[in-house]
Amino acid sequence: MDDRPTLREARRPTSAGASHDASGQPGVIGIALAAVLTAALAQGSWQWFSSYIGLTLLAVVFSFYRLPTWTPGPGSAYMRNLTAFSLVVGLCVAITLAPALQRWAWLFPMPGTRRVCPETGRYAGLQTEAALAGLAGRDGAALAHVRETKIHEAVADCLSATTTLWLPVYGFGAAALVALGAWCLDRARARRNPAVAAGANPPRAD
């Protein structure tokens, strides 16, 4: 009786490992599309719901996606997966931080970026007064409320537009930190595991 494994059985472990390495890739692509859709549908000022969406997407990424086995070389499958993974994480981080960047000056300390927005709000208030000047004698309280609402909306839109211009900087920064951290951890893990290191650098046949 021939106890040698068949060709199908011999290939089964390799195929299983390959599928494990690539199983999370469609999920990461879907998360990236969801993050882009969130940014595209954001109207007016950034709201805190985008932070909730960003945190949810980050939780999904870190819970269900695993990078493939570390292999050296800039063109390896590991580097391609790491690039996609880190960019998606950076995109989710940018969406999460957007409302905070819009509202907290200490988190968004770019000089001169917020200076124009109060003047924009005052101009919107003057426009509202001019448009509703005929109603001033009827209900002054309602006119004042509409004026303050327009000022708030104009300032929020101005801050949102300014924040959006700088979001790629925060996103790329987060992506670079995630890529560097993951690469260092996976490289150290591969060096501690002789089997992984041998699989990443198989001996050459003479």
Side-chain angles (χ1 to χ4, degrees), residues 121-140:
R122 283 193 289 270
Y123 178 72
L126 292 175
Q127 282 186 315
T128 303
E129 284 187 10
L132 302 178
L135 302 178
R138 298 185 180 181
D139 194 340

Side-chain angles (χ1 to χ4, degrees), residues 30-199:
I31 291 171
L33 293 176
V36 171
L37 183 62
T38 301
L41 294 179
Q43 299 293 330
S45 62
W46 287 95
Q47 302 300 325
W48 290 110
F49 188 60
S50 68
S51 295
Y52 174 78
I53 295 174
L55 289 174
T56 302
L57 296 177
L58 285 173
V60 172
V61 170
F62 288 117
S63 297
F64 297 102
Y65 183 76
R66 295 295 180 270
L67 289 169
T69 304
W70 180 85
T71 51
S76 62
Y78 174 82
M79 290 303 298
R80 293 195 300 271
N81 280 265
L82 178 63
T83 301
F85 173 77
S86 59
L87 288 176
V88 170
V89 171
L91 179 61
C92 295
V93 169
I95 291 176
T96 303
L97 290 179
L101 294 175
Q102 178 181 324
R103 290 163 175 81
W104 300 339
W106 64 268
L107 190 60
F108 185 53
M110 307 304 176
T113 55
R114 297 173 177 267
R115 189 181 306 164
V116 182
C117 293
E119 283 80 0
T120 303
R122 283 193 289 270
Y123 178 72
L126 292 175
Q127 282 186 315
T128 303
E129 284 187 10
L132 302 178
L135 302 178
R138 298 185 180 181
D139 194 340
L143 178 61
H145 176 72
V146 172
R147 179 177 178 274
E148 292 300 322
T149 300
K150 292 297 183 181
I151 291 175
H152 175 76
E153 291 177 355
V155 173
D157 290 343
C158 177
L159 290 174
S160 174
T162 305
T163 301
T164 304
L165 293 176
W166 287 91
L167 277 182
V169 177
Y170 288 81
F172 277 118
L177 291 176
V178 169
L180 180 61
W183 185 84
C184 291
L185 288 176
D186 290 340
R187 183 170 180 265
R189 188 180 298 115
R191 286 187 170 184
R192 288 196 304 266
N193 191 339
V196 174

Side-chain angles (χ1 to χ4, degrees), residues 15-24 66-68:
S15 301
S19 63
H20 172 73
D21 286 345
S23 60
R66 295 295 180 270
L67 289 169

